[in-house]
Amino acid sequence: MAVDWIATLQEQADFVMEVAKDVANALDASDLTIEQASRLYRMVELGAQDFDRIVELMSEHDMEEGFIDAADTIEDTWTNLSVATANRLRVMPGLEPIDIAPDDRK
């Protein structure tokens, strides 16, 4: 069965953007508990892992550069969400946030 990569990547991009909005709202909540932040972090990590499986499947095919670029953008968004949620978890008990330079993610 052939995969419609355009539709797949568009669905994934739409999904991660919705997750990003929800994560931003949750992280901005002043009453966010450590338990809630921890669940949010796990949810982000699961989403990133699910997308990693799509990237693995893509790597089995000879993909055009545009598809690779789109996948990279989606991966970067998942990485940013992961760092943001991890940092919220870290600062809640008084730890320093993680500082990842953009070049460190490649």
Side-chain angles (χ1 to χ4, degrees):
M1 180 168 107
V3 175
D4 181 350
W5 291 111
I6 294 172
T8 299
L9 290 172
Q10 186 60 57
E11 289 169 4
Q12 291 299 310
D14 292 345
F15 177 67
V16 76
M17 294 311 294
E18 284 298 314
V19 170
K21 289 177 195 173
D22 292 342
V23 166
N25 288 335
L27 294 179
D28 286 343
S30 61
D31 60 345
L32 183 71
T33 67
I34 289 178
E35 292 80 17
Q36 291 168 326
S38 181
R39 282 194 303 269
L40 187 63
Y41 175 76
R42 285 191 305 272
M43 185 267 314
V44 166
E45 286 300 304
L46 287 173
Q49 290 170 10
D50 286 345
F51 188 70
D52 285 344
R53 285 190 279 282
I54 292 171
V55 170
E56 287 175 22
L57 184 60
M58 288 177 70
S59 70
E60 296 173 6
H61 297 85
D62 188 24
M63 304 299 296
E64 294 178 25
E65 189 69 26
F67 292 113
I68 303 301
D69 292 344
D72 286 345
T73 299
I74 295 167
E75 279 185 313
D76 286 347
T77 304
W78 282 115
T79 298
N80 291 336
L81 291 171
S82 181
V83 170
T85 54
N87 278 341
R88 180 64 190 260
L89 273 171
R90 289 181 58 80
V91 299
M92 291 175 95
L95 299 172
E96 290 292 317
I98 301 165
D99 185 25
I100 298 178
D103 293 339
D104 291 346
R105 290 183 276 151
K106 298 289 179 190

